[in-house]
Amino acid sequence: MNANIPEYGMVQRRSTYVPAATTLSILLLLAVAAFGCWLVGTRPLDVGTDTQTYAGFFEGLNSSGFETRLEPGFVWLTYALWKLGFGIVGYQTALFALMLGTLFVATRRYHDYLAVDTLAHQRGYLTFLGAALMLLYVSPMFVNATINAVRQGLAALLVFAALLSFQRKQWWSFVILGAVAGSLHLSSLLYMVFAPVLLLGTRMQRLIALIAFGAYVSGISMTVVRAFVPALYDLVMTYTATQYYRAGVRIEFAVFSIFWYMLPYVLAPLVRQEYREKIKESAAVYLVMTLPFFAVGWGYFSNRYLLPAWLSVSLILAAMLVHSRLALLRNPLLLRFGLILSCAAFYYYVTHEILI
């Protein structure tokens, strides 16, 4: 019998060959992630308005006891890194690495959410992950999440993943991801409160978006809260009050935010038909993440209510890119080149503190 032909009944070993393109994608992603860890981890303490606060909390763990208003998940994470012997640079590096870990969780869930042809879809995950990372690196909102609102940045993409799970009726996943996000930043629970909107039809969701937008820009939401929930109004208006940041209705934030909700519908014809409806449905998750802002986003630092939503935009745009009908936009080679260039933008943003 020919030695090259397996005998009847013998099981052939599955090939473990990894395509060179896959290996290249993994190496590039690791290199870009390592660059980000180095850049954010080694930043001076005067880069980022909250950097010194987090560094001071970390160094304060040297004392026998400590009191803090920070969320328990973040406190225990910080304490674990301190016990492992990390210094300030190591601490900042680890936090950014964990933020990239939440990106992996969110993109994995979103990629599965969009799945049509399972085999072909799984092969495209690395391209999607690279596109999402590229768009985050060129986003000033992501810089805000990495050097200022670090706790909320750690929780933000977990909120997106949790709401995707809710939309798919994966209840345990929703609860676990939501609880982890809430343990990192308490405001994450606000988005979970609005999750039932995802059970409504598309037309009703659009109506809610219109009403929420109109109530906010007209000042009605602020008036209603002040009249009927004065304790909440006082809390929002006094929390982190500062002379350097104005409170009140921020129409520019509202218009900017509603624009990203409308974009997947406007550009739907440019997305391949098999992915078009799924991407438009995921826009509802983005909408839910804007509702806390439309409800109470007239206090100080109201843009932070929008941080999870604005970060999720990069994932939705990445999906529109890799599933575009235009072959050039989804070309893996072009996306890899864009990922490399995004490192230069991220370097400039961090070193010059360019953020929204």
Side-chain angles (χ1 to χ4, degrees):
M1 182 179 292
N2 191 326
N4 294 323
I5 302 176
E7 293 182 5
Y8 179 78
M10 293 180 64
V11 179
Q12 288 182 286
R13 181 177 296 176
R14 181 177 294 181
S15 173
T16 57
Y17 170 72
V18 178
T22 299
T23 303
L24 179 61
S25 294
I26 293 172
L27 291 175
L28 178 58
L29 285 167
L30 289 175
V32 170
F35 168 79
C37 287
W38 165 79
L39 177 63
V40 175
T42 60
R43 73 185 188 277
L45 295 184
D46 60 349
V47 173
T49 55
D50 292 348
T51 300
Q52 290 187 5
T53 301
Y54 286 114
F57 173 64
F58 181 77
E59 291 181 323
L61 295 178
N62 288 311
S63 58
S64 57
F66 58 90
E67 294 183 5
T68 178
R69 64 175 180 80
L70 300 181
E71 291 79 358
F74 184 80
V75 170
W76 283 109
L77 170 61
T78 300
Y79 185 72
L81 294 172
W82 177 74
K83 288 292 287 184
L84 289 171
F86 283 64
I88 291 296
V89 171
Y91 176 56
Q92 294 183 155
T93 302
L95 290 181
F96 183 77
L98 287 169
M99 197 172 297
L100 293 182
T102 67
L103 171 63
F104 176 80
V105 171
T107 52
R108 185 75 263 178
R109 292 220 161 244
Y110 191 33
H111 192 70
D112 292 343
Y113 171 92
L114 297 172
V116 178
D117 180 338
T118 304
L119 179 60
H121 204 73
Q122 296 305 322
R123 288 173 178 169
Y125 172 67
L126 292 178
T127 300
F128 173 60
L129 176 59
L133 184 57
M134 172 188 71
L135 291 170
L136 282 172
Y137 269 23
V138 299
S139 167
M141 286 77 81
F142 185 61
V143 179
N144 191 17
T146 58
I147 66 174
N148 282 343
V150 176
R151 286 176 294 131
Q152 193 172 15
L154 285 168
L157 293 178
L158 295 179
V159 170
F160 180 70
L163 292 174
L164 281 177
S165 297
F166 187 95
Q167 191 177 49
R168 301 176 73 186
K169 298 180 173 61
Q170 297 173 342
W171 308 122
W172 277 112
S173 177
F174 166 71
V175 170
I176 293 171
L177 289 169
V180 173
S183 76
L184 294 169
H185 200 271
L186 194 59
S187 69
S188 301
L189 302 181
L190 278 174
Y191 309 97
M192 308 306 155
V193 170
F194 289 98
V197 172
L198 295 170
L199 302 178
L200 304 176
T202 302
R203 293 181 66 180
M204 181 58 70
Q205 289 169 353
R206 290 178 181 175
L207 179 61
I208 289 173
L210 181 62
I211 292 173
F213 177 79
Y216 176 81
V217 298
S218 64
I220 291 176
S221 64
M222 181 170 62
T223 302
V224 168
V225 171
R226 181 169 51 193
F228 294 100
V229 198
L232 176 60
Y233 176 82
D234 291 339
L235 175 64
V236 171
M237 291 301 291
T238 58
Y239 182 72
T240 62
T242 173
Q243 60 178 326
Y244 301 107
Y245 193 98
R246 69 180 178 88
V249 173
R250 301 296 297 267
I251 294 178
E252 68 277 24
F253 287 168
V255 172
F256 183 74
S257 299
I258 210 70
F259 166 80
W260 294 111
Y261 172 63
M262 297 168 56
L263 192 66
Y265 293 97
V266 174
L267 297 184
L270 298 179
V271 177
R272 286 189 286 176
Q273 187 171 4
E274 60 268 33
Y275 295 101
R276 194 175 299 162
E277 288 307 313
K278 285 278 193 175
I279 291 176
K280 287 195 291 186
E281 288 173 11
S282 69
V285 174
Y286 170 82
L287 168 64
V288 167
M289 296 167 76
T290 65
L291 293 180
F293 169 79
F294 289 135
V296 295
W298 21 261
Y300 292 94
F301 295 100
S302 57
N303 59 324
R304 293 199 177 184
Y305 291 111
L306 289 164
L307 186 62
W310 286 350
L311 292 186
S312 72
V313 166
S314 293
L315 275 63
I316 296 173
L317 290 180
M320 295 174 69
L321 268 181
V322 300
H323 300 306
S324 171
R325 292 176 59 195
L326 304 176
L328 180 64
L329 292 181
R330 65 174 190 268
N331 185 293
L333 209 62
L334 183 64
L335 291 174
R336 290 189 194 115
F337 184 65
L339 179 57
I340 294 171
L341 289 181
S342 72
C343 291
F346 190 49
Y347 178 86
Y348 180 82
Y349 286 164
V350 171
T351 55
H352 289 77
E353 298 184 71
I354 306 296
L355 47 86
I356 293 179

